[in-house]
Amino acid sequence: MLSGFTLVRNAVSLDYPIVPAIRSILAVCDEVVVNVGRSEDGTRDLVAAIGDPRVRILDREWDFSRGSEALARETDRAMAACRGAWGLYIQADEVLHESGAALLAEKVREWDGDARVEGLLVDYLHFYGDFDTVATDRHWYRREVRVVRLGREVRSYQDAQGFRVGPGLRRVRARATGARMFHYGWARAAGSARRKREASRAIFRGAALRPEPAISERLAWTPLLRCFTGTHPQAARDWIAARQGAPVVLGPRYFRLHHLRYYLSDWLERLTGARLFEHRNYVEV
């Protein structure tokens, strides 16, 4: 049995593609557990309206007294409610391509008997500003664990980007699959991007106690933005079509000395396939 799990809060006001996200993994999951934090914008109704009996909602009051660790704790609660032997995790601003969903299901079956494998990796496309531009510098992670073997002391880590194992927080033993995850968290018009940054600031520990500069309507320019020429996941196409043409305001291009390391790293990665000093929550087996 393959379970899916995710968590979401205020998806309507923050314009998260939670319905496409859930639908993209329902294609291969026997159930999808959705931890819905108390929201003020109808998020629970939006999830319930999917109308699939495989979707199970956990109604939760998220405690942000310890900042972004709340995301890991609530992810663990969703994972603990799964009934399968493997769990497919997706975040509220991610959508799994249908080719990748089929590939992950195939690899779960293939590697289920190999006890060394605790997780499966997906490759990321990080959209930035719009749905035709991807951010590619080393600041953006290339791969992350999105399928885990359940019941092995695997737990969500820090702000829930990845997973670790046991009380010692060992890195997950994982294998690459070639499945593609589309990350739309920064494919936003200016106003939506500002609301997301405001929400992110609010959950980080101590943020409310520190003086902060005003949040700009603009998305800051970042090095190594590239055009995307492929196809988006089928589950996301209606959601994308409804947002095409929304005004996006990128900040002006600029150069800082530390940008040199991004360009150098990109050149070496294209030459060798390796990304130097890459942060990983996993080790490949």
Side-chain angles (χ1 to χ4, degrees), residues 6-270:
T6 188
L7 72 165
V8 65
R9 178 175 175 267
N10 290 333
V12 177
S13 61
L14 297 176
D15 199 23
Y16 285 133
I18 185 59
V19 172
I22 293 170
R23 290 195 184 282
S24 74
I25 64 173
L26 273 172
V28 292
C29 289
D30 301 289
E31 64 171 357
V32 176
V33 177
V34 186
N35 180 334
V36 179
R38 186 174 63 84
S39 305
E40 298 80 35
D41 61 357
T43 292
R44 192 192 192 283
D45 292 340
L46 181 69
V47 174
I50 292 173
D52 192 303
R54 291 173 294 169
V55 175
R56 291 195 289 122
I57 295 176
L58 302 181
D59 292 299
R60 291 283 307 163
E61 182 80 31
W62 297 2
D63 177 9
F64 288 110
S65 62
R66 294 173 62 186
S68 61
E69 290 181 19
L71 301 177
R73 291 198 303 273
E74 297 302 332
T75 299
D76 285 342
R77 288 189 172 97
M79 184 164 51
C82 292
R83 297 176 291 205
W86 291 82
L88 197 172
Y89 174 54
I90 194 164
Q91 295 192 335
D93 59 1
E94 300 174 347
V95 181
L96 181 63
H97 197 279
E98 54 272 14
S99 61
L103 186 57
L104 289 177
E106 174 189 331
K107 293 303 182 183
V108 164
R109 291 190 295 269
E110 180 180 344
W111 294 329
D112 183 54
D114 189 338
R116 295 173 300 168
V117 180
E118 298 169 322
L120 306 184
L121 299 169
V122 300
D123 298 337
Y124 268 83
L125 289 166
H126 299 279
F127 289 84
Y128 195 79
D130 57 39
F131 302 105
D132 302 310
T133 304
V134 289
T136 66
D137 73 57
R138 57 178 294 169
H139 169 75
W140 303 87
Y141 45 94
R142 292 191 300 171
R143 299 185 183 94
E144 191 52 271
V145 174
R146 280 297 176 264
V147 180
V148 293
R149 196 186 289 267
L150 300 176
R152 291 285 190 92
E153 292 192 286
V154 175
R155 62 188 66 185
S156 186
Y157 183 60
Q158 291 186 340
D159 61 357
Q161 176 184 307
F163 297 88
R164 293 294 177 95
V165 182
L169 301 178
R170 174 175 57 78
R171 297 174 193 268
V172 178
R173 297 193 298 262
R175 281 189 183 160
T177 65
R180 291 183 301 159
M181 188 72 83
F182 286 57
H183 177 212
Y184 295 117
W186 295 106
R188 295 169 175 270
S192 177
R194 177 181 51 77
R195 289 192 297 274
K196 178 182 177 178
R197 289 198 295 267
E198 288 173 345
S200 296
R201 174 188 289 180
I203 69 173
F204 279 86
R205 189 176 185 182
L209 304 178
R210 298 193 304 267
E212 296 280 357
I215 294 177
S216 171
E217 291 281 343
R218 291 184 172 187
L219 281 175
W221 177 84
T222 185
L224 296 168
L225 295 175
R226 293 191 169 104
C227 292
F228 173 71
T229 58
T231 59
H232 288 274
Q234 183 66 45
R237 289 177 192 171
D238 288 345
W239 182 83
I240 290 171
R243 288 155 181 80
Q244 289 281 24
V248 176
V249 183
L250 277 182
R253 290 173 177 261
Y254 64 97
F255 179 77
R256 297 289 184 270
L257 192 59
H258 70 268
H259 289 167
L260 284 175
R261 63 185 179 183
Y262 295 140
Y263 290 104
L264 178 60
S265 175
D266 181 69
W267 177 75
L268 289 172
E269 184 177 333
R270 286 171 170 267

